[in-house]
Amino acid sequence: MQPARRIRRVSTPFAILIGIIVGALLTRFVPTSIFSSYSTVWRGSAHAPIRTHTKTTSSRQPTAPTLEQRRRVLDILSTISPHHTRECTKNLNPLYVHQARDRYASLIGHNPPASKSWLFDLGLGGGDSFPRTSQEEASSFYSHRRDLSSGEHKYFFAINLYNSFDIIPDLFATLFRVSAVLGYHNVFVSIYENGSTDQTKAVLRIFDAIARSVGLRITIRTSQRTRGAFNHRIEYLAEVRNAAFVPLHELRNSENEYFDTIIFMNDILPCVDDVLELIYQSRLNNAGITCAADYMFHDELVGPSSQFFLSVADSSAQGSPVFYDNWVARDINGTALENAPFEAIFHDGGSSVRFQQHLPVQVQSCWNGIAVLDPAPFYQPKRVRFRMARIAEGECSASECSLICNDYWEAGYGRILMVPRVKLAYDRVRRITTVITFCS
């Protein structure tokens, strides 16, 4: 009988070397699809992401940026300036500039700087096209700060994006400037993007880093989720909008942080004073929901509405602006507004007169690109949320934005205002830019 053979132990360095070689061979010859067939997809709820099996199809692959888009990204990185909304502050009436500074002084949410920037001493700080205030004038804005509510006012911006490569630089340029007025420490931005097939996700990563570098609190969640899992369009849109509100409840539950105003923005091109005016009117009137008036150009209608003191950024643009979102907008009697020039959108005579006088109008519902909301109904035990109609209970089918207006009425927050001074564009070339003077 032969003695048993002893098994020799391999030295540790030699074992590590063998492991490295085997791992290298596996990554070299085994298809990566075996390991990448699972992806983390954000489901739009407060729960942890769900790991699901996904099959990659060529139709969902993001398209490569064009040469023009690549040049735009280079311009963004080198200048960090808006692209389509540059006309917002071009050739402004000096009276309007003075009125705007005085009007929005009440919204300033930060302490005055110790002194003016050294850039101005070197003559490098005058990049804006409107005249700067003197140090004495700037100090006067802080000295008569008349906050519309006691203490620091906190703002929650909720934004949905889809294939928004072209508008993101302008959107963030406006967010940066609005936050500079409201106070960066008072602002939180929540962006939910899903299903984009352009370079939206890539550009969002760039601006996420920029926002954090300037001290703006921001959460950007992206997903490949599309409507495919839903049978009903409104159900899908409601879930997407609710996904942008997830941080609102997370901050309340984890940090006991509450916000005083919610600003929900679609993929539009707002100027800084557009956003400030909506916030100003919301706080001044203690409104449940405050919205703008959005529009598209109608090529068959020629001649801008001169009585509204509107100017068009692109002088080559033809046609007239026409009110757009009449699927959601209803006047105080519940009648849909018309897709018509602004002087003819209301059937209610009193509402039409106020609209033409640029005075806020009480409506039954509206959304129109930007809506400023009182957050109280979202914090109540039986909180409101975007939803589809309860058809089984006899509720009429409607937009998720119409239904949330109905829920605000039911919760006792039925002061819903449309602000005619703020008119928002979706067309990035032909947009209305200025209103000469303020009304109340």
Side-chain angles (χ1 to χ4, degrees), residues 105-176:
S106 62
L107 300 180
I108 295 175
H110 56 85
N111 294 324
S115 62
K116 63 181 181 180
S117 171
W118 58 272
L119 291 173
F120 290 99
D121 295 330
L122 297 177
L124 301 177
D128 290 336
S129 57
F130 51 86
R132 295 268 179 183
T133 57
S134 64
Q135 189 69 17
E136 293 74 17
E137 289 175 319
S139 299
S140 69
F141 292 146
Y142 293 96
S143 65
H144 72 271
R145 276 185 62 184
R146 48 191 189 280
D147 287 352
L148 300 177
S149 64
S150 59
E152 294 293 345
H153 198 93
K154 308 192 80 171
Y155 303 87
F156 184 91
F157 284 79
I159 303 171
N160 282 131
L161 295 177
Y162 167 74
N163 283 350
S164 303
F165 179 93
D166 283 329
I167 72 157
I168 287 174
D170 296 86
L171 190 62
F172 271 90
T174 297
L175 281 174
F176 290 150

Side-chain angles (χ1 to χ4, degrees), residues 241-415:
R241 291 190 187 277
N242 287 328
F245 273 108
V246 169
L248 180 77
H249 301 294
E250 288 179 340
L251 290 169
R252 180 196 59 182
N253 296 336
S254 62
E255 306 292 338
N256 197 32
E257 181 176 7
Y258 289 80
F259 292 87
D260 303 291
T261 296
I262 294 173
I263 302 96
F264 203 113
M265 303 174 67
N266 293 346
D267 50 350
I268 38 80
L269 295 169
C271 298
V272 174
D273 55 339
D274 290 334
V275 181
L276 293 178
E277 177 67 12
L278 289 174
I279 295 173
Y280 174 83
Q281 292 290 352
S282 173
R283 296 181 60 182
L284 179 68
N285 294 285
N286 194 27
I289 299 177
T290 307
C291 66
D294 58 357
Y295 68 91
M296 299 291 283
F297 273 88
H298 196 298
D299 292 334
E300 296 179 3
L301 296 176
V302 180
S305 303
S306 58
Q307 60 180 304
F308 285 92
F309 306 101
L310 302 177
S311 65
V312 181
D314 184 0
S315 59
S316 65
Q318 300 295 322
S320 289
V322 171
F323 182 77
Y324 175 66
D325 191 9
N326 71 336
W327 191 38
V328 175
R330 299 288 186 271
D331 67 16
I332 190 59
N333 300 316
T335 305
L337 275 60
E338 294 291 337
N339 289 129
F342 289 118
E343 61 269 24
I345 65 175
F346 280 97
H347 289 276
D348 179 71
S351 299
S352 181
V353 169
R354 287 188 63 85
F355 191 90
Q356 294 181 55
Q357 293 175 344
H358 283 89
L359 298 174
V361 181
Q362 170 74 49
V363 295
Q364 192 274 328
S365 63
C366 65
W367 200 259
N368 306 342
I370 298 180
V372 179
L373 302 97
D374 186 323
F378 284 92
Y379 287 133
Q380 292 176 351
K382 187 181 177 181
R383 70 173 189 256
V384 303
R385 66 196 315 270
F386 291 97
R387 61 180 179 84
M388 62 182 296
R390 303 183 183 101
I391 303 296
E393 300 176 13
E395 190 174 39
C396 295
S397 180
S399 161
E400 76 285 358
C401 298
S402 299
L403 294 171
I404 205 163
C405 290
N406 293 347
D407 292 342
Y408 260 64
W409 277 93
E410 187 176 346
Y413 292 82
R415 182 172 291 180

Side-chain angles (χ1 to χ4, degrees), residues 77-238:
L77 293 175
S78 59
T79 63
I80 314 300
S81 63
H83 181 72
H84 302 304
T85 55
R86 289 174 181 171
E87 299 289 337
C88 287
T89 56
K90 185 177 181 180
N91 301 323
L92 283 179
N93 187 318
L95 175 61
Y96 175 82
V97 174
H98 178 77
Q99 287 181 331
R101 284 171 173 159
D102 183 69
R103 185 180 185 86
Y104 303 132
S106 62
L107 300 180
I108 295 175
H110 56 85
N111 294 324
S115 62
K116 63 181 181 180
S117 171
W118 58 272
L119 291 173
F120 290 99
D121 295 330
L122 297 177
L124 301 177
D128 290 336
S129 57
F130 51 86
R132 295 268 179 183
T133 57
S134 64
Q135 189 69 17
E136 293 74 17
E137 289 175 319
S139 299
S140 69
F141 292 146
Y142 293 96
S143 65
H144 72 271
R145 276 185 62 184
R146 48 191 189 280
D147 287 352
L148 300 177
S149 64
S150 59
E152 294 293 345
H153 198 93
K154 308 192 80 171
Y155 303 87
F156 184 91
F157 284 79
I159 303 171
N160 282 131
L161 295 177
Y162 167 74
N163 283 350
S164 303
F165 179 93
D166 283 329
I167 72 157
I168 287 174
D170 296 86
L171 190 62
F172 271 90
T174 297
L175 281 174
F176 290 150
R177 287 163 172 80
V178 169
S179 300
V181 174
L182 303 177
Y184 280 101
H185 60 290
N186 295 325
V187 173
F188 188 96
V189 178
S190 171
I191 296 177
Y192 180 74
E193 177 278 333
N194 67 291
S196 295
T197 56
D198 61 1
Q199 296 299 312
T200 294
K201 288 180 173 62
V203 178
L204 279 176
R205 292 190 189 98
I206 295 173
F207 278 97
D208 177 53
I210 296 172
R212 295 178 188 278
S213 71
V214 298
L216 182 63
R217 295 194 300 162
I218 187 169
T219 294
I220 299 178
R221 285 165 171 160
T222 64
S223 171
Q224 293 295 339
R225 179 189 189 183
T226 63
R227 183 187 163 188
F230 293 86
N231 295 323
H232 200 287
R233 177 174 179 267
I234 300 304
E235 179 188 15
Y236 165 69
L237 293 176

